[in-house]
C-alpha cells in the first residue's frame, strides 16, 4: 500500500490519493495519444476537451450563472491582487478593502500602487484574530468594488457570511476556501483563487467574473492583464498551464463524486471539529488563535504555552508522520490546514496525537 503522510500543508497541499493514482495511470500515454498530456499542443482536441471539462465542472459544482466567465490563469492569486484594480479601479473611483489579515494586506498594497483605496473595515486592532463583522463594513460613496478575503490562511480566520454590497461589485480572494462550501455566486462580481490548496496543484488560478464587469477594462491595459482577453479565448489566449488544468479537472470530478459542495462542507465541518474539540477540551493546554466566531474550517491555528513547547510539538508530530503543522513564519504557533482533500482519518489521527502529546507534556 502507498505510504501517505498526514499532510496538513498550507499550500501546495494534499491532493486526493485517487486523483494522484489516476494521473499516474494516464501520465505517460494520455488516452492512447502516445504521449503525455504535458507533451501535447494546447490547441489539440484532447486538451481542449480537458479545458472544457474543467470549466464545465466548475460551472456545475458552483452553479455559476451564464452571465459569468470562468478563467484559468497563471501568476497565482498574487497577480490578481494587481489585476483587480488594473481592470476595475478607474479614475475617480475608490477600491474598498476589508483588511482582515496578512493576505488582505497584500491585496491592499497592490491596489495602492494603482489607484485610490479605502479600508471599509479592519480587524487589525484585534491583531487579526477575528474577521471584521458585516456591520463594521462602511463603503465609500464612489466605490469601484469591495474586496475581501474569505479565509485568511495565515491567521486561520474565515468569513461565515458575506456582506450585501448592493450595486457595488463584491470581489473575493477565496484562495484558501474555494469550493469548501456551497456559494451563491450571484452575490459576487468576481471571485478568484490559486488552485494549490483546494483545487489541484500550483500553477493555475481560477477567476470567475461577471461579464458586464470585465467588459469595462481600460483601453490602454495590455492584453495579458485584461480579463476580457482570457474570457473570450476560453483561457487559451496563450499557452495555459495544461497539466495543472488537467489535475484541477480530476479534483473537480472527485469532488462531484463526493456529493458536491454541501457534502464536502459537512465533511470539512466534521474534520475541523475534531481538531477544535481537542483544543477546547485541553483545559488551556492548547489555545486557539482565532476568535470562535471567526474560526476557519480550513486553517486551524493554535498554540501551546511556550515557543519551546510549540517546537517540541512539531518535532514529535513529524516523527509520527505528520507534515506541515508549524505555523506561518510571520505569526508562529501551529497550524493544521485541513483542505478538502485532507482525509477525515488524518484529522482523527491529529486529534489523538494532540491528546497524547498533552498527556505526556501537560
Ligand atoms: N491569498 C490567500 C488567501 C492565500 O492563502 C495565498 C497563498 N497562500 C495567496 C493569496 C497568494 O497566492 P499565490 O501564491 O497563488 O500567489
Amino acid at each position: 500500500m502507498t505510504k501517505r503522510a498526514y499532510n496538513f500543508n498550507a499550500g501546495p497541499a494534499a491532493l486526493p490519493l485517487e486523483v494522484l493514482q489516476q494521473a499516474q495511470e494516464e501520465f505517460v500515454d494520455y488516452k492512447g495519444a502516445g504521449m503525455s498530456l504535458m507533451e501535447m499542443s494546447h490547441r489539440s482536441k484532447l486538451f481542449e476537451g480537458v479545458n472544457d471539462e474543467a470549466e464545465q465542472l466548475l460551472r456545475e459544482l458552483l452553479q455559476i450563472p451564464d452571465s459569468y466567465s470562468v478563467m484559468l490563469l497563471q501568476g497565482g492569486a498574487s497577480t490578481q491582487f494587481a489585476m483587480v484594480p488594473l481592470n476595475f479601479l478607474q479614475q475617480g473611483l475608490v477600491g474598498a478593502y476589508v483588511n482582515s489579515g496578512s493576505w488582505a494586506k497584500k491585496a491592499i498594497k497592490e491596489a495602492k500602487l494603482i489607484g485610490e483605496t479605502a479600508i471599509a473595515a479592519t480587524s487589525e486592532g484585534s491583531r487579526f484574530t477575528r474577521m471584521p463583522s458585516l456591520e463594521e463594513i462602511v463603503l465609500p460613496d464612489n466605490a469601484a468594488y469591495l474586496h475581501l478575503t474569505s479565509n485568511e490562511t495565515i491567521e486561520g480566520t474565515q468569513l461565515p457570511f458575506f456582506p450585501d454590497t448592493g450595486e457595488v461589485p463584491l470581489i473575493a480572494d477565496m484562495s484558501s476556501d474555494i469550493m469548501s462550501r456551497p456559494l451563491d455566486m450571484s452575490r459576487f462580481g468576481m471571485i478568484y483563487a490559486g488552485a494549490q490548496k483546494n483545487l489541484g496543484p500550483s500553477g493555475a488560478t481560477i477567476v470567475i467574473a461577471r461579464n458586464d464587469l470585465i467588459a469595462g477594462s481600460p483601453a490602454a491595459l495590455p492584453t495579458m492583464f485584461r480579463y476580457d482577453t482570457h474570457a473570450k479565448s476560453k483561457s487559451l489566449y496563450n499557452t495555459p498551464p495544461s497539466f495543472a488544468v488537467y489535475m484541477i479537472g480530476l479534483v473537480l470530478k472527485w469532488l462531484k463524486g463526493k456529493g458536491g459542495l454541501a457534502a464536502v462542507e459537512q465533511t470539512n465541518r466534521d474534520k475541523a471539529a475534531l481538531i477544535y474539540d481537542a483544543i477546547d477540551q485541553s483545559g488551556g493546554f492548547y489555545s486557539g488563535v482565532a476568535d470562535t466566531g471567526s474560526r476557519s474550517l480550513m486553517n486551524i491555528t493554535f498554540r501551546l504555552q511556550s515557543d519551546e513547547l510549540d517546537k517540541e510539538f512539531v518535532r514529535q508530530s513529524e516523527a509520527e508522520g505528520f507534515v506541515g503543522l508549524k505555523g506561518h513564519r510571520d505569526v508562529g504557533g501551529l497550524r493544521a490546514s485541513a483542505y478538502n482533500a485532507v482525509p477525515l482519518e488524518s484529522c482523527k489521527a491529529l486529534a489523538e496525537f494532540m491528546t497524547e502529546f498533552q498527556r505526556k507534556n501537560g
Side-chain angles (χ1 to χ4, degrees):
M1 222 184 83
T2 315
K3 180 179 174 292
R4 298 281 287 163
Y6 297 123
N7 185 350
F8 290 97
N9 278 330
L15 287 165
L17 176 60
E18 300 94 308
V19 164
L20 294 172
Q21 285 170 332
Q22 185 176 346
Q24 183 178 44
E25 257 169 46
E26 297 177 335
F27 193 69
V28 173
D29 182 7
Y30 183 73
K31 299 214 162 140
M35 65 182 82
S36 170
L37 187 97
M38 279 184 290
E39 301 173 282
M40 221 171 260
S41 167
H42 60 292
R43 308 281 173 210
S44 64
K45 278 271 158 298
L46 272 178
F47 182 72
E48 270 185 18
V50 166
N51 196 49
D52 286 348
E53 188 170 27
E55 175 177 340
Q56 275 322 311
L57 284 162
L58 278 167
R59 285 191 180 276
E60 182 183 334
L61 286 163
L62 279 170
Q63 296 177 3
I64 303 170
D66 289 344
S67 50
Y68 287 73
S69 291
V70 173
M71 293 160 260
L72 295 163
L73 309 182
Q74 298 189 62
S78 301
T79 298
Q80 296 310 309
F81 293 165
M83 269 178 80
V84 165
L86 282 172
N87 281 272
F88 307 135
L89 186 46
Q90 327 296 21
Q91 276 272 326
L93 297 180
V94 181
Y97 283 78
V98 175
N99 183 18
S100 52
S102 304
W103 289 110
K105 265 180 165 323
K106 292 212 160 106
I108 295 164
K109 179 169 169 249
E110 293 304 296
K112 279 188 170 160
L113 297 171
I114 292 154
E116 198 183 327
T117 59
I119 302 302
T122 179
S123 51
E124 192 155 24
S126 321
R127 298 204 328 286
F128 297 128
T129 52
R130 63 176 183 90
M131 279 285 177
S133 68
L134 300 191
E135 296 74 53
E136 287 170 77
I137 297 174
V138 180
L139 281 176
D141 284 342
N142 45 354
Y145 54 79
L146 176 72
H147 179 285
L148 53 80
T149 312
S150 55
N151 186 83
E152 284 286 359
T153 323
I154 293 177
E155 288 81 3
T157 57
Q158 187 175 27
L159 271 173
F161 311 104
F162 296 105
D164 184 351
T165 49
E167 293 291 297
V168 175
L170 180 59
I171 299 183
D173 173 4
M174 296 197 173
S175 290
S176 47
D177 69 349
I178 191 167
M179 303 194 86
S180 66
R181 52 182 173 177
L183 190 74
D184 177 1
M185 193 61 221
S186 69
R187 299 188 52 191
F188 294 85
M190 174 179 145
I191 66 170
Y192 63 92
Q196 65 271 18
K197 299 167 197 298
N198 257 344
L199 288 182
S202 58
T205 309
I206 284 79
V207 176
I208 302 165
R210 234 171 50 207
N211 291 332
D212 63 310
L213 256 187
I214 61 178
S217 301
L221 195 59
T223 313
M224 273 300 283
F225 302 134
R226 311 178 62 90
Y227 290 118
D228 54 1
T229 301
H230 302 289
K232 275 184 211 141
S233 59
K234 291 178 86 69
S235 308
L236 294 172
Y237 173 73
N238 72 328
T239 318
S242 49
F243 195 73
V245 172
Y246 157 74
M247 288 294 288
I248 290 169
L250 294 187
V251 170
L252 293 172
K253 256 188 249 170
W254 174 84
L255 269 177
K256 190 177 163 182
K258 291 278 162 200
L261 300 190
V264 164
E265 177 179 22
Q266 190 51 53
T267 310
N268 286 333
R269 289 195 178 283
D270 296 343
K271 283 156 48 184
L274 286 166
I275 303 167
Y276 283 124
D277 284 351
I279 294 169
D280 294 340
Q281 289 162 14
S282 71
F285 182 74
Y286 299 105
S287 52
V289 173
D291 287 6
T292 44
S294 294
R295 280 177 164 179
S296 168
L297 296 184
M298 299 281 101
N299 309 99
I300 298 152
T301 46
F302 57 104
R303 45 177 98 252
L304 290 150
Q305 289 107 328
S306 70
D307 292 349
E308 286 65 44
L309 216 44
D310 284 346
K311 277 200 192 104
E312 186 55 22
F313 183 95
V314 170
R315 202 187 60 73
Q316 287 192 28
S317 70
E318 284 173 354
E320 299 286 326
F322 294 90
V323 175
L325 293 171
K326 193 167 177 293
H328 189 276
R329 61 188 182 281
D330 288 351
V331 296
L334 302 160
R335 170 176 59 174
S337 298
Y339 300 121
N340 287 349
V342 172
L344 185 77
E345 291 66 42
S346 292
C347 298
K348 265 191 200 145
L350 177 57
E352 279 163 22
F353 173 81
M354 288 169 72
T355 308
E356 186 58 17
F357 184 84
Q358 179 175 7
R359 200 182 58 74
K360 285 198 237 143
N361 297 277

